[in-house]
Amino acid sequence: MSLRLRLTLLFTTLLGGMLLIFGSLVYGVVSLVLYYQLDNHLSASATQLIDLLRLNTSNEYDVRLLANFQSSENLFYQVYGPGQDLQLAHPGSMDAVLDPVGRASGEPLFTSQVVEGRHLRVLSVPLRTERGPAGMLQVAESLTSIDAAQNVLARTLIILAVVTLVIFGIIIWQMTGQALAPLAAVTETARQISRAADLQRRIPMRGSANDEVGSLVEAFNKTLERMEVLFNSQKRFLTDVSHELRTPLTVIKGNIGLLRQQGVTDEESLSSTEQEVDRLTRLVGDLLFLAQAETGSMPLAMLPVELDTVLLEVFQQMSMLAGDKLVMKITEIDQIQVKGDRDRLKQVLVNLLGNAIQYTPAGGEVRIALRKVGSQAQLSITDTGPGIPPEDLPHIFERFYRGEKSRRRSQGSGFGLGLSIAFWIVRNHGGSIEADSREGAGSTFCVWLPLLAV
Ligand code: ADP
């Protein structure tokens, strides 16, 4: 979930909670006031009714006098004798007990009841004479108008709360969007920088440099600046050293030839020295190549190339190199043209096939396929070698990265540059390269290149 959505949800939920508390308070207070007024009115009516009651000779209330009572339309009342028998009901049609619990209680009691489908507020008042309990008076008024008021109030509060929440949510969504927009710009620029490996780019400073986002942009730009300086000096160092090493290596190689001509007899030392010089020469060549590729100054002769022909050429050369050690076969080969530098593309194939041959043990198999997939050419090289451990897999295209096992191998193996070179060549051809491998289950390297548009 995005930060923007999380903040919006958080604030809206907080406001929702506050509105719920506030709304419940308003509803509660209004209901209380309405009930209070109604209860007061019921008490007043009960007092008036009791005032009208007179005791007859047999110490019973004479209910006939109540006929003089000017009752409001909304008022219901019932008088019960000491034996809880109904003596008078007003209106006469309503003879159901208004509140059975209140009738039995010895204290005045307010309750809300539903009687014959009417929602009523009932007050039960015990009647007493000097000689003891003399019955019960119940007065009631309809709660319809209070119910309606409560209903309207609840609906209004809910609608208001929902509308407020929606408006508030939209405002928060917009505001967080605005506040986070510079962060999105920072992220996008950082992504572009890593995608294009272009450390020259900087994140544009929008707004003030003193706020949190401004400080972040400034710090990030400073880091980029520092990285650019370091990276450039490293590249310069690499290029200079490779250049410097070339000459002495050529001289040593020449001298070895000279020593041979002069009849130096220790042939074993001579050829071992010569092998090491060749290895160093390859390393220097690779380093120079990478330095050029990384500075963007790798010259590429971009011409139409028949990839299938290049593959067959490399296949023949590498089959000779593999000899009887393993089986190499092309399982599929489509006619494919791409735009690129023939020699460089060949180098990619040599590096990948070279690795497959090198890492696959005797008796293994290397399968090669070249096919069209949509507007791309897909070259896959699958071997039955030891595979690449998961901890090595994300790093194998890095410069000088060699798997743990390869590092432990005797000298004479590569320097961990072959795949970096392949990576750079493919990338500078607008393609991509990926490796899929499981330890003990072989590896597959896949190269994707855009087909030549006809
Ligand atoms: P190296 O000179 O060590 O072969 P690379 O850049 O060509 O350097 O390869 C980097 C690392 O990737 C190797 O050290 C090895 O651990 C691993 N690797 C590359 N290709 C294969 C393969 N076909 N099978 C197993 N491991 C491989």
Side-chain angles (χ1 to χ4, degrees):
M1 206 194 283
S2 71
L3 182 60
R4 188 181 181 188
L5 188 62
R6 258 189 291 163
L7 282 176
T8 311
L9 283 181
L10 177 74
F11 288 129
T12 319
T13 314
L14 276 179
L15 180 72
M18 270 155 47
L19 285 177
L20 189 73
I21 295 172
F22 177 75
S24 310
L25 272 175
V26 169
Y27 185 85
V29 168
V30 170
S31 304
L32 226 92
V33 169
L34 290 174
Y35 270 78
Y36 178 75
Q37 279 179 346
L38 184 65
D39 289 354
N40 274 349
H41 191 244
L42 280 175
S43 298
S45 302
T47 315
Q48 282 173 18
L49 281 165
I50 291 171
D51 283 350
L52 285 175
L53 287 171
R54 293 284 175 272
L55 284 173
N56 60 19
T57 44
S58 51
N59 199 35
E60 279 177 355
Y61 278 110
D62 187 352
V63 292
R64 278 172 302 172
L65 287 165
L66 293 187
N68 299 331
F69 183 66
Q70 297 292 312
S71 120
S72 74
E73 206 179 299
N74 238 343
L75 194 77
F76 303 82
Y77 56 85
Q78 291 176 345
V79 181
Y80 293 89
Q84 298 201 343
D85 49 315
L86 182 64
Q87 296 192 341
L88 176 81
H90 173 85
S93 56
M94 172 90 119
D95 55 359
V97 185
L98 291 174
D99 177 9
V101 179
R103 191 175 60 168
S105 111
E107 296 293 320
L109 183 69
F110 285 102
T111 53
S112 301
Q113 303 289 335
V114 178
V115 185
E116 293 181 357
R118 290 195 181 93
H119 194 197
L120 299 176
R121 184 74 173 162
V122 184
L123 167 62
S124 308
V125 189
L127 300 171
R128 288 175 208 284
T129 66
E130 285 149 12
R131 282 190 247 156
M136 175 71 69
L137 169 69
Q138 291 197 326
V139 271
E141 262 189 60
S142 169
L143 278 168
T144 317
S145 50
I146 291 188
D147 285 345
Q150 279 181 323
N151 212 332
V152 169
L153 182 67
R155 276 168 201 254
T156 313
L157 285 173
I158 290 172
I159 292 173
L160 273 179
V162 170
V163 171
T164 313
L165 279 181
V166 169
I167 295 175
F168 183 79
I170 294 173
I171 293 173
I172 289 290
W173 177 257
Q174 297 293 347
M175 274 171 56
T176 44
Q178 271 171 13
L180 294 175
L183 276 187
V186 174
T187 316
E188 186 44 34
T189 316
R191 243 187 231 135
Q192 284 172 2
I193 289 169
S194 70
R195 218 180 289 137
D198 180 5
L199 289 174
Q200 281 175 343
R201 297 176 80 130
R202 295 289 175 273
I203 297 164
M205 178 76 80
R206 294 197 197 113
S208 159
N210 296 326
D211 64 12
E212 288 85 346
V213 179
S215 312
L216 171 72
V217 171
E218 203 178 351
F220 196 74
N221 280 343
K222 280 218 172 94
T223 313
L224 282 176
E225 217 168 277
R226 179 114 189 84
M227 276 169 68
E228 192 190 356
V229 171
L230 281 174
F231 199 63
N232 283 344
S233 65
Q234 190 200 26
K235 279 193 287 198
R236 225 175 304 120
F237 171 78
L238 202 66
T239 320
D240 293 349
V241 169
S242 332
H243 264 300
E244 291 304 319
L245 282 174
R246 266 183 154 186
T247 322
L249 282 173
T250 321
V251 173
I252 296 172
K253 179 100 175 154
N255 284 345
I256 292 171
L258 221 59
L259 286 174
R260 269 215 184 90
Q261 276 174 17
Q262 286 169 1
V264 174
T265 44
D266 191 358
E267 180 55 35
E268 202 182 318
S269 333
L270 271 187
S271 55
S272 127
T273 316
E274 197 173 28
Q275 265 176 23
E276 285 310 307
V277 171
D278 286 345
R279 214 164 95 78
L280 279 178
T281 313
R282 271 204 312 278
L283 167 66
V284 169
D286 284 354
L287 278 179
L288 203 58
F289 177 91
L290 272 176
Q292 280 174 347
E294 283 174 10
T295 49
S297 56
M298 183 169 74
L300 286 176
M302 298 297 269
L303 295 168
V305 178
E306 277 161 8
L307 205 55
D308 46 314
T309 321
V310 178
L311 174 61
L312 286 173
E313 256 173 52
V314 176
F315 180 75
Q316 265 177 356
Q317 284 172 16
M318 300 308 274
S319 302
M320 286 207 291
L321 189 82
D324 300 333
K325 183 187 159 196
L326 36 79
V327 181
M328 274 179 71
K329 55 180 170 196
I330 297 180
T331 52
E332 192 179 345
I333 184 160
D334 287 349
Q335 263 195 345
I336 281 175
Q337 268 208 327
V338 293
K339 192 171 182 197
D341 187 316
R342 195 172 200 282
D343 291 339
R344 300 295 185 215
L345 290 175
K346 203 166 169 178
Q347 198 172 347
V348 173
L349 292 176
V350 169
N351 288 3
L352 292 180
L353 277 175
N355 276 350
I357 294 168
Q358 186 185 350
Y359 292 108
T360 308
E365 192 181 73
V366 176
R367 287 189 306 277
I368 305 150
L370 176 65
R371 58 177 87 89
K372 279 183 196 165
V373 180
S375 59
Q376 303 257 314
Q378 186 209 42
L379 170 82
S380 65
I381 296 169
T382 306
D383 63 49
T384 55
I388 303 166
E391 64 271 20
D392 287 338
L393 202 55
H395 304 289
I396 53 170
F397 294 106
E398 289 168 14
R399 271 196 322 212
F400 291 111
Y401 191 88
R402 302 180 62 209
E404 181 62 31
K405 284 187 199 139
S406 321
R407 260 176 269 145
R408 277 192 259 116
R409 284 163 84 103
S410 58
Q411 42 137 270
S413 53
F415 296 97
L417 290 175
L419 286 180
S420 325
I421 290 177
F423 176 85
W424 273 101
I425 296 176
V426 173
R427 189 185 169 129
N428 283 5
H429 278 77
S432 62
I433 181 167
E434 51 204 44
D436 184 19
S437 181
R438 259 186 306 129
E439 219 174 344
S443 319
T444 298
F445 283 83
C446 238
V447 175
W448 294 89
L449 287 168
L451 290 175
L452 181 70
V454 270

